[in-house]
Amino acid sequence: MPQPRSSPEAQLGLPEYRGHSPAEKIAFAALVSFIVAALLGLFGDGPLSDTKASSADGRIQVQYQRFCRRLAPQSLDITLATPPGSEAIELNIDGDYLRSVQITEVFPEPVTAMHQHTGRMRFRTDGSGRDMIVRVHLKPQRAGLLAARLSTGPPSQASTVELKQLAYP
Amino acid sequence: MDSVLRAAAVYLILLIIMRIAGKRTLAQITVFDFILLLIIGEATQQALLAEDFSIINSALVIATLVLLDIVLAMLKQRSKTLDRIIDDAPVVIVENGRLLRDRMDRSRIDEQDILVAARELHGLERLDQIKYAVLERSGGISIVPAGSAQST
């Protein structure tokens, strides 16, 4: 049924107003896509972001997030294979990565920690030969691509794993 | 993912709390009510952002809140029941100068609140100058002065 014609006063703004314009629809679709992408982990934690890297011999494995955010807390879960009977194990993190992040906590606490080009942490082990899990809490200090190289073992037989993260501003 | 879920949870919690608190809490009727709203805003900000002060997190939180608001508005347009549950309905609290006490008590409104609105909006001094006072969905009180044209 056709609606009665409205008064001239009610026509105010109507020539310009045409309901939802294509631009508005595109913007709404972009908003929904943004949220869906975030839920999937494109801007931080989520299935697309959570990943794992391992050295060729499997002695060091890292669980990390591909996508992270500058100044936002995140963590690296590092699994180290410890030789039976050994009392300590070392974890090395390359200096470039350490300059890009701020480590807020390491668990378990290392017995010694030093930083000379490479960050070196030494952890006490129980000698049982079981894997040791080290959790490093950190905050990226800059946006952009962050590359890290983590290694364990003596320099001649070091097991190395490399990872890349994208830190959003 | 965390930011979106956190924002959605805070939105839902605020929606429920504000609905329980009633319309007048949001109306900023006194200085203390205003301060209370500021404190709620501050507490909400902590819950929304946690320790993540990145730009992308702010964008995600804002986008989630806006999207939820749009979706809820669309749902309210389609369902009158949901609209009533979330926004309540306007209620007449004064009719031809007579206070409707039961409705006022339910909305926690006293005579002074109505007279303040009458003075501020129309410069009226007494209740008998008011034809209708309506507690709106926004929490504000609108006044129809006595002697104004009867709508048909």
Side-chain angles (χ1 to χ4, degrees), chain B residues 21-148:
Chain B
K23 298 176 200 171
R24 290 301 276 170
T25 308
L26 273 177
Q28 296 176 19
I29 43 177
T30 65
V31 174
F32 182 73
D33 289 337
F34 179 67
I35 292 170
L36 194 66
L37 277 178
L38 290 181
I39 295 169
I40 291 170
E42 187 69 21
T44 306
Q45 183 247 321
Q46 303 273 352
L48 281 173
L49 298 180
E51 289 178 43
D52 187 346
F53 301 113
S54 59
I55 295 170
I56 200 89
N57 188 43
S58 302
L60 275 173
V61 167
I62 293 166
T64 306
L65 294 176
V66 169
L67 185 68
L68 283 174
D69 216 43
I70 293 171
V71 170
L72 200 66
M74 287 160 96
L75 291 175
K76 282 192 290 186
Q77 264 187 330
R78 290 179 188 194
S79 164
K80 289 288 166 208
T81 313
L82 186 70
D83 188 34
R84 181 75 190 265
I85 289 170
I86 291 172
D87 284 343
D88 209 348
V91 58
V92 175
I93 46 179
V94 173
E95 188 181 19
N96 295 319
R98 188 171 57 88
L99 296 171
L100 304 175
R101 287 278 179 199
D102 56 333
R103 299 179 187 185
M104 287 169 60
D105 291 345
R106 234 184 301 156
S107 306
R108 298 193 295 276
I109 286 175
D110 60 22
E111 191 178 330
Q112 280 307 315
D113 294 330
I114 298 165
L115 286 172
V116 167
R119 280 196 300 273
E120 285 180 350
L121 297 173
H122 296 284
L124 306 178
E125 298 162 1
R126 300 182 312 277
L127 278 176
D128 59 21
Q129 294 174 308
I130 299 172
K131 185 178 180 184
Y132 293 116
V134 182
L135 176 62
E136 301 291 357
R137 306 171 85 168
S138 63
I141 298 171
S142 59
I143 303 288
V144 180
S148 61

Side-chain angles (χ1 to χ4, degrees), chain A residues 35 38-39 45 69-70 72 169, chain B residues 1-3 52 54-56 60:
Chain A
I35 303 290
L39 283 170
D45 56 332
R69 301 192 282 255
R70 181 178 171 265
Chain B
M1 182 164 73
D2 193 35
S3 308
D52 187 346
S54 59
I55 295 170
I56 200 89
L60 275 173

Side-chain angles (χ1 to χ4, degrees), chain A residues 113-134:
Chain A
M114 58 182 290
H115 185 197
Q116 265 184 323
H117 303 295
T118 299
R120 182 166 297 165
M121 289 180 274
R122 192 174 176 83
F123 299 92
R124 186 169 289 132
T125 61
D126 61 4
S128 65
R130 283 181 297 191
D131 288 351
M132 180 178 194
I133 297 171
V134 176

